[in-house]
Amino acid sequence: MDEPLHAMHAGVDKWHFNDCDFAGASTNLASVYDDTVKALESGNAEKAAKLFGRALHVAQDFYAHTNWIDLEPADTKGMPALIDSSAGNWPTIVPWQALANGIVPVSKTHPRPANLTFVKVEPPDRARLRVVIAGVEHPALISGEATGRMNCPQEATIGHWDDRPGQYGGLAKDYPCREPARSFHAACTLALRQTYQEWCRLRTLAAADPIATKTLNTMLIADDADAKICAEKAFLLPSFPGKCE
Ligand SMILES: [Zn+2]
């Protein structure tokens, strides 16, 4: 989740899903995938691997740095939902537009709807934030403030590292030693499932070009070693055994 990253990317929200920069991080992901596919099309497996690693960091940080798992998002199968499980490139996460499961990403940098109120939840559940828009209550998606950019609305701000008594921790779920430890395990398990999803996304995006597909196969221990995984998508099913302990 938060291993040292290239200095150019350190502390920049769009590389870490920090500071409620959901639109920035999701459009950044889409553009990194565009570059990764270009590298594959030019036969440059090494460059593609580096770019894909950057994309994985951002996608995994979504779970490590937001209140997603605190909101207990369920998918149609009753599993904790992934933020995106589509086959194509990353869609833009648009602030104030409800996601399919009703969760509303919030942001200070996008004009807020009229008739908006925040419903604060006191510690220890303060990450379970909600908003009421035009009389309808929604779970509200935020990420921890980490760099001082302050893209989160003032009423919905929780620090990434908050660790003073009474704060019950910030939103960071990067380490198992942070309380509550269940946050790390739940976030890590979703990040693991998202990682499979990201590989299969890259496989699908590369499928449009024979050279890209050939280059991708050089990155595997055997051609189509991932075929069963990406065809069955067991990582989206309740029976998926992958879990961070
Ligand atoms: Zn990060």
Side-chain angles (χ1 to χ4, degrees):
M1 296 191 187
D2 248 0
E3 297 302 315
L5 192 68
H6 193 284
M8 193 177 90
H9 303 139
V12 179
D13 298 334
K14 68 177 184 176
W15 291 101
H16 308 276
F17 264 111
N18 283 329
D19 296 305
C20 298
D21 188 14
F22 299 110
S26 54
T27 54
N28 182 38
L29 270 167
S31 112
V32 174
Y33 270 100
D34 287 342
D35 292 344
T36 309
V37 172
K38 273 186 209 140
L40 290 171
E41 286 169 353
S42 67
N44 193 337
E46 194 183 325
K47 186 177 177 187
K50 275 187 188 159
L51 287 165
F52 181 60
R54 284 180 203 160
L56 283 185
H57 182 119
V58 184
Q60 293 166 352
D61 268 357
F62 176 80
Y63 301 102
H65 296 179
T66 70
N67 65 338
W68 183 257
I69 61 138
D70 303 296
L71 299 175
E72 300 179 345
D75 67 11
T76 52
K77 301 176 197 82
M79 290 272 282
L82 298 184
I83 176 64
D84 183 64
S85 53
S86 61
N89 205 342
W90 271 80
T92 301
I93 301 172
V94 184
W96 306 114
Q97 270 184 26
L99 300 166
N101 56 15
I103 291 177
V104 172
V106 307
S107 165
K108 197 166 82 176
T109 48
H110 289 61
R112 60 170 68 185
N115 302 323
L116 172 87
T117 50
F118 285 93
V119 182
K120 277 215 161 182
V121 183
E122 294 304 313
D125 291 324
R126 65 193 183 122
R128 293 182 184 162
L129 194 75
R130 303 180 73 80
V131 281
V132 177
I133 301 171
V136 181
E137 192 166 316
H138 301 264
L141 180 66
I142 56 170
S143 59
E145 293 215 314
T147 63
R149 280 166 194 266
M150 311 296 176
N151 296 320
C152 297
Q154 199 185 358
E155 307 95 314
T157 298
I158 299 179
H160 178 74
W161 290 286
D162 286 355
D163 59 0
R164 291 192 295 279
Q167 290 187 318
Y168 294 91
L171 291 183
K173 301 165 176 76
D174 295 300
Y175 317 105
C177 54
R178 281 187 64 93
E179 288 297 333
R182 64 180 157 80
S183 294
F184 167 82
H185 296 294
C188 180
T189 298
L190 273 178
L192 175 67
R193 291 173 52 211
Q194 188 75 47
T195 300
Y196 281 89
Q197 156 68 14
E198 296 309 308
W199 175 267
C200 297
R201 186 195 310 277
L202 182 61
R203 171 61 85 184
T204 304
L205 293 175
D209 183 89
I211 298 171
T213 299
K214 200 173 152 196
T215 312
L216 201 60
N217 280 332
T218 67
M219 297 159 72
L220 291 165
I221 47 168
D223 280 10
D224 297 327
D226 57 342
K228 192 169 181 285
I229 293 167
C230 293
E232 292 178 355
K233 295 204 169 177
F235 51 86
L236 297 178
L237 303 174
S239 54
F240 181 62
K243 206 173 169 188
C244 294
E245 297 294 351

